[in-house]
Amino acid sequence: MSNGFDDIPFFDEEPAPRKPATGATSGSEPASGGLGIAARAMAARDQARGPDYLAGLNPEQREAVETTDGSVLVLAGAGTGKTRVLTTRIAHILATGRAFPSQILAVTFTNKAAREMKERIGMLVGGAVEGMPWLGTFHSIGVKLLRRHAELVGLTSDFTILDTDDVVRLIKQLIQAEGLDDKRWPAKQFAAMIDGWKNKGLDPSQIPEGDARAFANGKGRELYAAYQNRLKSLNACDFGDLLLHPIRMFRANPDVLKDYHQKFRYILVDEYQDTNTAQYMWLRLLAQRPQGIPQNVCCVGDDDQSIYGWRGAEVDNILRFEKDFPGAKVIKLERNYRSTEHILGAAGHLIAHNEGRLGKTLFTDRREPDDEKVVVHAAWDSEEEARAVGEEIERLQRGDADGRKHNLNDMAILVRASFQMREFEDRFVTLGLNYRVVGGPRFYERLEIRDAMAYFRLVCQPADDLAFERIVNTPKRGLGDTTVRALHDYARARDIPMLAAAADIVETDELKPKARKALFDVIQMFRRWQELLETTPHTELAEQILEESGYTDMWKNDKSADAPGRLENLKELVRSMEAFESMRGFLEHVSLVMDAEQNEDMDAVSIMTLHSAKGLEFDTVFLPGWEEGLFPHQRALDEGGRAGLEEERRLAYVGITRAKRRCHIWFVSNRRIHGLWQSTMPSRFLDELPVTHVEVAQTEQSYGGYGRGGYGQSRFDKADPFANSYSTPGWKRAQQNKSEATRDNWGSRSGHAVERIGYGESGPRARTIEGELVAKSVADTPSKFAVGDRVFHIKFGNGNVAAIEGNKLTINFDRAGEKRVLDGFVEPVS
DNA sequence: ACCAACATTGTTTTT
DNA sequence: CAATGTTGGT
């Protein structure tokens, strides 16, 4: 299977192969000016019939791939093969010898997108993508640049990257240091303001006067400046700095910039509509070149899918591309390979209500007689909405209408706001319907992981005060607020890191003897670990740190039900370190790639927000909550005005276009918001849908019904006496179960661990939380447990099996009480 | 230093 | 309503 790459050498990165002298292209620079012999031969062949990887592209896609030189904007509508174009384009550049892998700069927004691109390029070129060192997120590429040139912006190359949590704690200290009331001026809010300024590329001196005055009695600007100073003294960067520092660096050092101009022969940007001002400035610096240096930029995006305006994205960037890059070629991809005509028709009609768009109309050739129109349903309240959606899902799962059975994996519920999820979770738990919440709390945000990471950080970076403060009294060592405060002041007065200050202060008698002893022990520990850093394998050292610090013991002694899970997570953390060469390398990875693998092998309905659904597709999509105030969201209207409304509409467009075959939209007349019931109006977006592609569901039984009036009962309801009555213990238990489950699913907000519920296998499961507490009968599989068995559950702890139905166990847990759980979620205790 | 009662505040999320 | 954070008690 020739893919056109057999003769293309892949190079490792540093130093960039200025004069490559390997294999087929030997002796000549792979520039447009002078092609290697093999490349020329391939080009000749390609001219005749095109290489394999171009086969199957439509004419627009092919044009987008083959227009390699100059500036190109690809307007890629939903489902038009955007990623395919991007990856094939890179493959094409490589195959034709136009550039080496290390000479292509390809930028994405998320690690997920970067990973996917790497994978797909790998498929095209046969796996050797390690040779593309400059494919990554804006931030990861920013780090790479900064590590090389750190001294040019006043850092050293081993700077620390702070995450939001660190930043907030740091700002809180600064606010307190200013003598301000940190309650009146919340650090979180100021962190968000700084983030906003940085998204716009603004230094403390450049922020608008009004913004500066709006915070901390007019001290906004000073506070921002103080924050930057503090970062510098900590040798640290926040996420915004990863973009801003390179910008500063390039501006102040034109010679360095010029090197990169020459290095990056081709620049590609994914999701261009999501770029913020800082990213835009960054990109322009790299992409706009002086006469004589070729300028090949390709931005791919869709103005209709710009849904991140609220976090600084400027749709304007894509709208004015042609002005920024004169002579740019604009290629529209409008042929959709995903959805039915009805779905595209509905989405297209809706989005046409937006002004200020570049204007695309998606079309498809796909037309089948049984294509369903988009269905709009009305429900009395959100509870009924969830119930009806659940029934529809079960209907599809059973496969009645067209006789086909549908996988839960092919269905998704896309909500505007995450509080809507709960109602569905509740319902699915009682139905025993598997679901997964996508986009929840992440592995690396869990309390225990962050604590452990703080230990590792401090060992590698003794100046990391934030890490120090985090763990100095975790586990409890009797080093409370007062001691830490004293230490803090001591360190500040002398302008030294806190760990160093601690070493000094134990020599004095400034502290009480008890604290002094405790602190001394801490210092000794870290001294030892720092020595071992050079000699001991890093995973071994990590284990040792967690043991000797007493951190694992802390959780072993913790009686709460989620302690075992946390210990398991810590093991997983150490395990995941094995893939890295050093502790430093691992820390770098974690600070940038804050997500982990998700478990895809269970059949489950996905529940997620519309925002996190972007880029995904499902056979069947449910869009609940189309009511004024929720969708479009009141706040978007209040704060964003017309632009806000248009962004909401784009969100609706994104939602509909996720569907391949079926799209069900719901609205309710009554919804509980902030605890109280409010009556609601149908969303204006409903009236913006075209009648030709939409049908209104017949209000079969239930509209206006009270509670359990006339709605149809599901098969499961009938089968399970527990699931159907509000007054039975079963219902109450289910309520209990689900509320515990949701609490824990969102637990990391409060700094608590997120439990993996069920599935015995290990592996960090960050973005996906499986919520299936109540069992679902699988009659054929007899349980391996017997009544009376002693079992352990990762969330509920130990308990005794009280009853068994199929693989569904009722267990009396020592701590959590009686729960019904699938037998796969518990293991026997000997 | 730790826990329990009270007040506060409610979009969307990545790096 | 319910999750979060702060205050005040022991």
Side-chain angles (χ1 to χ4, degrees):
Chain A
M1 255 241 301
S2 162
N3 54 21
F5 286 90
D6 301 348
D7 301 328
I8 299 300
F10 280 81
F11 291 87
D12 275 349
E13 229 266 289
E14 324 306 336
R18 275 286 163 80
K19 290 273 180 234
T22 322
T25 48
S26 135
S28 88
E29 192 85 356
S32 32
L35 283 174
I37 292 172
R40 286 212 310 267
M42 283 189 290
R45 178 199 61 192
D46 295 350
Q47 220 168 357
R49 58 142 222 243
D52 296 350
Y53 57 84
L54 291 177
L57 295 181
N58 67 37
E60 297 77 32
Q61 290 176 326
R62 184 156 174 171
E63 193 188 7
V65 166
E66 292 188 307
T67 313
T68 50
D69 292 3
S71 309
V72 182
L73 174 65
V74 180
L75 288 172
T80 55
K82 180 197 73 172
T83 309
R84 177 158 188 207
V85 163
L86 220 39
T87 50
T88 313
R89 185 183 164 92
I90 290 173
H92 184 67
I93 289 167
L94 295 174
T96 51
R98 285 177 163 82
F100 290 120
S102 64
Q103 294 171 319
I104 298 174
L105 172 67
V107 201
T108 64
F109 270 83
T110 62
N111 291 301
K112 193 180 159 208
R115 216 180 307 133
E116 194 179 316
M117 258 174 79
K118 276 190 181 157
E119 241 164 61
R120 288 180 62 167
I121 295 169
M123 308 256 283
L124 284 169
V125 305
V129 254
E130 288 76 29
M132 281 206 62
W134 298 98
L135 190 171
T137 62
F138 278 100
H139 297 268
S140 65
I141 291 168
V143 174
K144 199 157 193 166
L145 291 169
L146 272 184
R147 296 256 186 245
R148 291 185 166 191
H149 307 286
E151 68 291 348
L152 295 178
V153 293
L155 295 167
T156 63
S157 70
D158 59 345
F159 63 85
T160 318
I161 301 162
L162 304 184
D163 63 30
T164 341
D165 217 67
D166 297 323
V167 168
V168 171
R169 286 190 300 140
L170 200 156
I171 290 174
K172 192 164 187 173
Q173 291 175 4
L174 289 170
I175 288 174
Q176 286 165 344
E178 279 288 320
L180 293 158
D181 179 5
D182 65 315
K183 216 198 148 177
R184 172 130 182 250
W185 307 107
K188 238 179 154 176
Q189 195 187 319
F190 195 64
M193 286 176 79
I194 290 182
D195 196 51
W197 291 325
K198 290 194 171 177
N199 284 159
K200 289 191 164 68
L202 301 174
D203 281 343
S205 64
Q206 297 168 314
I207 62 170
E209 193 57 31
D211 280 14
R213 292 194 177 284
F215 198 85
N217 299 329
K219 288 189 182 166
R221 194 188 305 278
E222 290 91 315
L223 220 48
Y224 182 11
Y227 170 72
Q228 287 307 116
N229 282 335
R230 190 87 184 92
L231 286 185
K232 192 165 266 183
S233 66
L234 285 168
N235 192 33
C237 277
D238 63 15
F239 284 121
D241 286 340
L242 299 181
L243 291 168
L244 290 187
H245 282 324
I247 292 173
R248 285 184 203 119
M249 192 256 299
F250 284 141
R251 286 194 177 143
N253 304 274
D255 51 318
V256 176
L257 179 58
K258 195 180 168 200
D259 285 348
Y260 285 99
H261 281 165
Q262 272 155 351
K263 176 178 181 63
F264 297 134
R265 290 171 189 276
Y266 292 89
I267 297 181
L268 295 92
V269 185
D270 191 15
E271 305 281 17
Y272 190 57
Q273 78 283 350
D274 288 338
T275 46
N276 62 35
T277 305
Q279 287 158 337
Y280 174 77
M281 295 191 316
W282 187 94
L283 192 67
R284 278 186 66 161
L285 277 167
L286 281 164
Q288 289 189 327
R289 293 160 178 204
Q291 285 293 317
I293 305 180
Q295 173 177 312
N296 306 313
V297 195
C298 175
C299 293
V300 182
D302 181 358
D303 51 319
D304 290 334
Q305 292 189 71
S306 159
I307 55 174
Y308 287 110
W310 52 274
R311 74 177 193 213
E314 296 277 349
V315 211
D316 219 44
N317 293 345
I318 197 169
L319 299 179
R320 64 160 187 248
F321 184 87
E322 289 175 88
K323 278 186 207 133
D324 291 334
F325 298 94
K329 190 173 211 172
V330 178
I331 300 168
K332 287 185 189 181
L333 304 182
E334 296 174 293
R335 179 182 297 269
N336 176 291
Y337 295 97
R338 177 186 297 158
S339 311
T340 67
E341 201 185 15
H342 288 311
I343 287 161
L344 295 180
H349 194 266
L350 177 85
I351 198 66
H353 288 79
N354 272 5
E355 295 164 29
R357 50 193 289 263
L358 292 164
K360 292 181 280 30
T361 310
L362 299 181
F363 66 93
T364 179
D365 294 337
R366 184 172 141 176
R367 211 148 296 147
E368 282 160 45
D370 60 340
D371 277 352
E372 293 171 28
K373 291 187 174 182
V374 171
V375 190
V376 174
H377 304 254
W380 174 249
D381 61 15
S382 44
E383 203 176 291
E384 187 191 294
E385 179 184 58
R387 189 158 50 223
V389 169
E391 277 165 30
E392 183 66 28
I393 289 169
E394 292 193 315
R395 198 171 302 141
L396 288 166
Q397 198 180 16
R398 239 175 293 137
D400 50 10
D402 47 6
R404 268 197 304 275
K405 296 196 178 201
H406 301 274
N407 289 325
L408 297 178
N409 277 335
D410 297 328
M411 304 181 215
I413 297 167
L414 312 182
V415 298
R416 174 65 247 263
S418 44
F419 76 84
Q420 292 173 263
M421 294 179 179
R422 190 185 201 116
E423 206 99 41
F424 291 97
E425 293 190 58
D426 285 4
R427 188 59 193 158
F428 295 168
V429 165
T430 62
L431 287 177
L433 202 62
N434 286 346
Y435 68 90
R436 91 171 44 98
V437 173
V438 181
R442 277 156 265 183
F443 183 71
Y444 293 114
E445 282 170 11
R446 296 170 194 200
L447 180 81
E448 67 277 17
I449 300 302
R450 298 180 51 86
D451 286 342
M453 296 293 301
Y455 273 100
F456 303 156
R457 270 164 62 181
L458 195 54
V459 170
C460 293
Q461 267 267 134
D464 193 334
D465 282 2
L466 289 155
F468 178 87
E469 286 182 68
R470 184 174 184 104
I471 48 81
V472 67
N473 198 31
T474 312
K476 302 265 182 284
R477 300 186 174 95
L479 296 165
D481 253 9
T482 33
T483 315
V484 175
R485 188 68 52 85
L487 197 51
H488 191 264
D489 294 344
Y490 188 97
R492 278 299 191 74
R494 267 148 259 245
D495 201 26
I496 52 170
M498 287 178 77
L499 189 61
D504 285 357
I505 214 167
V506 291
E507 305 293 332
T508 72
D509 51 5
E510 268 186 60
L511 298 174
K512 293 203 185 98
K514 229 174 93 187
R516 202 166 130 186
K517 171 75 172 67
L519 196 56
F520 182 74
D521 289 345
V522 172
I523 295 159
Q524 287 301 103
M525 284 193 302
F526 275 96
R527 283 200 181 127
R528 191 166 58 246
W529 296 329
Q530 273 156 17
E531 278 164 29
L532 292 172
L533 187 58
E534 312 304 327
T535 54
T536 316
H538 59 291
T539 48
E540 218 170 280
L541 177 60
E543 279 178 10
Q544 202 176 329
I545 290 171
L546 295 177
E547 276 306 319
E548 293 177 4
S549 63
Y551 193 72
T552 44
D553 283 340
M554 177 180 109
W555 288 115
K556 277 178 193 158
N557 296 330
D558 191 303
K559 294 280 182 292
S560 69
D562 49 32
R566 292 181 196 260
L567 284 165
E568 189 53 44
N569 288 337
L570 289 171
K571 272 188 207 149
E572 182 58 40
L573 180 72
V574 175
R575 227 174 295 148
S576 68
M577 285 177 79
E578 283 168 14
F580 295 84
E581 280 188 5
S582 66
M583 195 170 270
R584 268 173 215 286
F586 178 69
L587 292 176
E588 170 102 353
H589 168 85
V590 172
S591 58
L592 287 172
V593 186
M594 294 281 289
D595 63 358
E597 310 295 300
Q598 44 180 290
N599 177 25
E600 293 286 278
D601 43 54
M602 179 178 80
D603 191 35
V605 185
S606 297
I607 304 177
M608 67 186 96
T609 63
L610 287 160
H611 283 93
S612 38
K614 191 167 88 160
L616 305 177
E617 59 177 33
F618 300 90
D619 236 42
T620 305
V621 164
F622 297 92
L623 303 170
W626 282 42
E627 299 123 38
E628 284 295 303
L630 176 59
F631 193 33
H633 199 280
Q634 192 57 49
R635 204 141 151 191
L637 262 32
D638 292 346
E639 286 166 22
R642 196 188 63 91
L645 174 63
E646 296 211 343
E647 184 156 310
E648 294 288 294
R649 193 177 279 116
R650 290 193 290 268
L651 208 42
Y653 175 80
V654 167
I656 297 172
T657 54
R658 297 310 94 197
K660 292 202 262 193
R661 313 194 54 97
R662 275 169 298 275
C663 178
H664 290 261
I665 299 173
W666 291 81
F667 70 93
V668 305
S669 305
N670 297 283
R671 190 174 289 279
R672 201 165 49 185
I673 298 164
H674 303 338
L676 34 107
W677 286 95
Q678 307 203 314
S679 67
T680 50
M681 299 271 296
S683 170
R684 68 190 76 184
F685 297 151
L686 292 165
D687 292 326
E688 295 173 356
L689 296 170
V691 277
T692 38
H693 297 295
V694 175
E695 104 190 37
V696 173
Q698 293 313 302
T699 50
E700 291 129 31
Q701 319 94 336
S702 59
Y703 194 117
Y706 290 95
R708 25 212 241 65
Y711 59 88
Q713 292 186 328
S714 75
R715 157 192 53 100
F716 196 84
D717 282 346
K718 282 176 189 155
D720 188 333
F722 278 102
N724 199 27
S725 160
Y726 296 121
S727 52
T728 58
W731 170 260
K732 286 179 182 152
R733 211 164 38 236
Q735 292 284 318
Q736 229 170 30
N737 282 356
K738 62 109 216 262
S739 68
E740 275 171 42
T742 16
R743 249 203 304 289
D744 273 296
N745 283 351
W746 295 103
S748 83
R749 276 189 194 160
S750 60
H752 288 295
V754 175
E755 273 309 322
R756 224 182 304 136
I757 300 161
Y759 269 69
E761 94 284 314
S762 58
R765 248 193 300 91
R767 314 221 58 210
T768 302
I769 293 97
E770 318 294 356
E772 10 142 34
L773 285 177
V774 173
K776 183 168 160 176
S777 275
V778 181
D780 320 333
T781 21
S783 179
K784 60 177 176 176
F785 296 100
V787 173
D789 278 4
R790 186 85 177 142
V791 294
F792 171 77
H793 186 279
I794 194 162
K795 165 147 183 47
F796 299 126
N798 289 319
N800 297 315
V801 177
I804 300 171
E805 312 159 46
N807 63 344
K808 220 194 290 186
L809 308 178
T810 304
I811 298 171
N812 280 315
F813 288 104
D814 302 347
R815 274 190 307 269
E818 191 180 272
K819 307 276 177 198
R820 303 175 77 208
V821 178
L822 271 184
D823 64 357
F825 302 147
V826 295
E827 45 193 60
V829 179
S830 43

mmCIF file of all heavy atoms in Angstrom, chain A residues 361-376:
data_model
loop_
_atom_site.group_PDB
_atom_site.id
_atom_site.type_symbol
_atom_site.label_atom_id
_atom_site.label_comp_id
_atom_site.label_asym_id
_atom_site.label_seq_id
_atom_site.Cartn_x
_atom_site.Cartn_y
_atom_site.Cartn_z
ATOM 1 N N THR A 361 -23.677 27.856 3.005
ATOM 2 C CA THR A 361 -24.878 27.043 3.095
ATOM 3 C C THR A 361 -24.478 25.591 2.900
ATOM 4 O O THR A 361 -23.965 25.215 1.844
ATOM 5 C CB THR A 361 -25.901 27.439 2.014
ATOM 6 O OG1 THR A 361 -26.070 28.861 2.056
ATOM 7 C CG2 THR A 361 -27.229 26.767 2.278
ATOM 8 N N LEU A 362 -24.681 24.830 3.898
ATOM 9 C CA LEU A 362 -24.295 23.427 3.813
ATOM 10 C C LEU A 362 -25.294 22.655 2.972
ATOM 11 O O LEU A 362 -26.481 22.932 2.982
ATOM 12 C CB LEU A 362 -24.239 22.810 5.210
ATOM 13 C CG LEU A 362 -23.232 23.428 6.177
ATOM 14 C CD1 LEU A 362 -23.281 22.706 7.515
ATOM 15 C CD2 LEU A 362 -21.839 23.367 5.597
ATOM 16 N N PHE A 363 -24.778 21.710 2.235
ATOM 17 C CA PHE A 363 -25.676 20.845 1.480
ATOM 18 C C PHE A 363 -25.158 19.416 1.501
ATOM 19 O O PHE A 363 -24.000 19.160 1.856
ATOM 20 C CB PHE A 363 -25.806 21.328 0.029
ATOM 21 C CG PHE A 363 -24.527 21.202 -0.759
ATOM 22 C CD1 PHE A 363 -24.271 20.066 -1.523
ATOM 23 C CD2 PHE A 363 -23.589 22.214 -0.744
ATOM 24 C CE1 PHE A 363 -23.102 19.944 -2.241
ATOM 25 C CE2 PHE A 363 -22.399 22.099 -1.464
ATOM 26 C CZ PHE A 363 -22.152 20.975 -2.214
ATOM 27 N N THR A 364 -26.040 18.521 1.146
ATOM 28 C CA THR A 364 -25.649 17.115 1.105
ATOM 29 C C THR A 364 -26.357 16.423 -0.049
ATOM 30 O O THR A 364 -27.419 16.857 -0.476
ATOM 31 C CB THR A 364 -26.003 16.390 2.423
ATOM 32 O OG1 THR A 364 -25.613 15.027 2.304
ATOM 33 C CG2 THR A 364 -27.504 16.450 2.709
ATOM 34 N N ASP A 365 -25.726 15.376 -0.523
ATOM 35 C CA ASP A 365 -26.369 14.570 -1.558
ATOM 36 C C ASP A 365 -27.189 13.453 -0.947
ATOM 37 O O ASP A 365 -28.000 12.818 -1.590
ATOM 38 C CB ASP A 365 -25.313 13.928 -2.472
ATOM 39 C CG ASP A 365 -24.568 14.987 -3.255
ATOM 40 O OD1 ASP A 365 -25.122 16.090 -3.420
ATOM 41 O OD2 ASP A 365 -23.434 14.700 -3.689
ATOM 42 N N ARG A 366 -26.891 13.265 0.302
ATOM 43 C CA ARG A 366 -27.482 12.135 0.997
ATOM 44 C C ARG A 366 -28.983 12.379 1.202
ATOM 45 O O ARG A 366 -29.398 13.356 1.787
ATOM 46 C CB ARG A 366 -26.781 12.041 2.342
ATOM 47 C CG ARG A 366 -27.181 10.893 3.170
ATOM 48 C CD ARG A 366 -26.249 10.858 4.340
ATOM 49 N NE ARG A 366 -26.965 10.502 5.544
ATOM 50 C CZ ARG A 366 -26.365 10.317 6.701
ATOM 51 N NH1 ARG A 366 -25.083 10.507 6.815
ATOM 52 N NH2 ARG A 366 -27.070 9.967 7.751
ATOM 53 N N ARG A 367 -29.768 11.496 0.715
ATOM 54 C CA ARG A 367 -31.204 11.673 0.823
ATOM 55 C C ARG A 367 -31.828 10.292 0.881
ATOM 56 O O ARG A 367 -31.702 9.505 -0.044
ATOM 57 C CB ARG A 367 -31.727 12.423 -0.396
ATOM 58 C CG ARG A 367 -32.926 13.283 -0.124
ATOM 59 C CD ARG A 367 -32.915 14.497 -1.031
ATOM 60 N NE ARG A 367 -31.764 15.339 -0.733
ATOM 61 C CZ ARG A 367 -31.118 16.055 -1.640
ATOM 62 N NH1 ARG A 367 -31.457 16.015 -2.892
ATOM 63 N NH2 ARG A 367 -30.094 16.821 -1.283
ATOM 64 N N GLU A 368 -32.430 9.999 1.998
ATOM 65 C CA GLU A 368 -33.046 8.690 2.097
ATOM 66 C C GLU A 368 -34.505 8.855 2.472
ATOM 67 O O GLU A 368 -34.865 9.800 3.178
ATOM 68 C CB GLU A 368 -32.309 7.834 3.131
ATOM 69 C CG GLU A 368 -30.998 7.275 2.575
ATOM 70 C CD GLU A 368 -30.033 6.850 3.660
ATOM 71 O OE1 GLU A 368 -30.473 6.197 4.616
ATOM 72 O OE2 GLU A 368 -28.836 7.185 3.535
ATOM 73 N N PRO A 369 -35.332 7.956 1.980
ATOM 74 C CA PRO A 369 -36.786 8.111 2.167
ATOM 75 C C PRO A 369 -37.187 8.185 3.637
ATOM 76 O O PRO A 369 -38.118 8.895 3.976
ATOM 77 C CB PRO A 369 -37.367 6.866 1.493
ATOM 78 C CG PRO A 369 -36.217 5.934 1.300
ATOM 79 C CD PRO A 369 -34.998 6.768 1.189
ATOM 80 N N ASP A 370 -36.456 7.461 4.485
ATOM 81 C CA ASP A 370 -36.908 7.437 5.876
ATOM 82 C C ASP A 370 -36.217 8.486 6.756
ATOM 83 O O ASP A 370 -36.279 8.425 7.970
ATOM 84 C CB ASP A 370 -36.710 6.042 6.465
ATOM 85 C CG ASP A 370 -35.248 5.611 6.433
ATOM 86 O OD1 ASP A 370 -34.494 6.206 5.639
ATOM 87 O OD2 ASP A 370 -34.884 4.710 7.200
ATOM 88 N N ASP A 371 -35.593 9.456 6.120
ATOM 89 C CA ASP A 371 -34.978 10.520 6.913
ATOM 90 C C ASP A 371 -36.034 11.238 7.757
ATOM 91 O O ASP A 371 -37.086 11.613 7.251
ATOM 92 C CB ASP A 371 -34.312 11.547 5.981
ATOM 93 C CG ASP A 371 -32.934 11.091 5.555
ATOM 94 O OD1 ASP A 371 -32.456 10.079 6.106
ATOM 95 O OD2 ASP A 371 -32.340 11.745 4.682
ATOM 96 N N GLU A 372 -35.703 11.411 9.015
ATOM 97 C CA GLU A 372 -36.676 12.057 9.904
ATOM 98 C C GLU A 372 -36.452 13.559 9.941
ATOM 99 O O GLU A 372 -35.313 14.032 9.893
ATOM 100 C CB GLU A 372 -36.534 11.489 11.324
ATOM 101 C CG GLU A 372 -36.926 10.035 11.419
ATOM 102 C CD GLU A 372 -36.570 9.430 12.768
ATOM 103 O OE1 GLU A 372 -36.525 10.184 13.765
ATOM 104 O OE2 GLU A 372 -36.328 8.211 12.814
ATOM 105 N N LYS A 373 -37.529 14.274 10.066
ATOM 106 C CA LYS A 373 -37.402 15.712 10.268
ATOM 107 C C LYS A 373 -36.910 15.979 11.682
ATOM 108 O O LYS A 373 -36.964 15.111 12.558
ATOM 109 C CB LYS A 373 -38.765 16.380 10.069
ATOM 110 C CG LYS A 373 -39.236 16.360 8.622
ATOM 111 C CD LYS A 373 -40.505 17.182 8.456
ATOM 112 C CE LYS A 373 -40.873 17.258 6.979
ATOM 113 N NZ LYS A 373 -42.076 18.094 6.759
ATOM 114 N N VAL A 374 -36.448 17.188 11.897
ATOM 115 C CA VAL A 374 -36.126 17.606 13.258
ATOM 116 C C VAL A 374 -37.443 17.689 14.033
ATOM 117 O O VAL A 374 -38.427 18.220 13.525
ATOM 118 C CB VAL A 374 -35.428 18.986 13.249
ATOM 119 C CG1 VAL A 374 -35.281 19.526 14.669
ATOM 120 C CG2 VAL A 374 -34.073 18.875 12.572
ATOM 121 N N VAL A 375 -37.462 17.118 15.223
ATOM 122 C CA VAL A 375 -38.716 17.066 15.975
ATOM 123 C C VAL A 375 -38.652 18.014 17.167
ATOM 124 O O VAL A 375 -37.679 18.015 17.922
ATOM 125 C CB VAL A 375 -39.000 15.632 16.485
ATOM 126 C CG1 VAL A 375 -40.410 15.557 17.049
ATOM 127 C CG2 VAL A 375 -38.819 14.622 15.362
ATOM 128 N N VAL A 376 -39.681 18.823 17.304
ATOM 129 C CA VAL A 376 -39.769 19.711 18.463
ATOM 130 C C VAL A 376 -40.817 19.174 19.420
ATOM 131 O O VAL A 376 -41.936 18.878 19.019
ATOM 132 C CB VAL A 376 -40.138 21.149 18.032
ATOM 133 C CG1 VAL A 376 -40.376 22.032 19.252
ATOM 134 C CG2 VAL A 376 -39.034 21.730 17.163
#
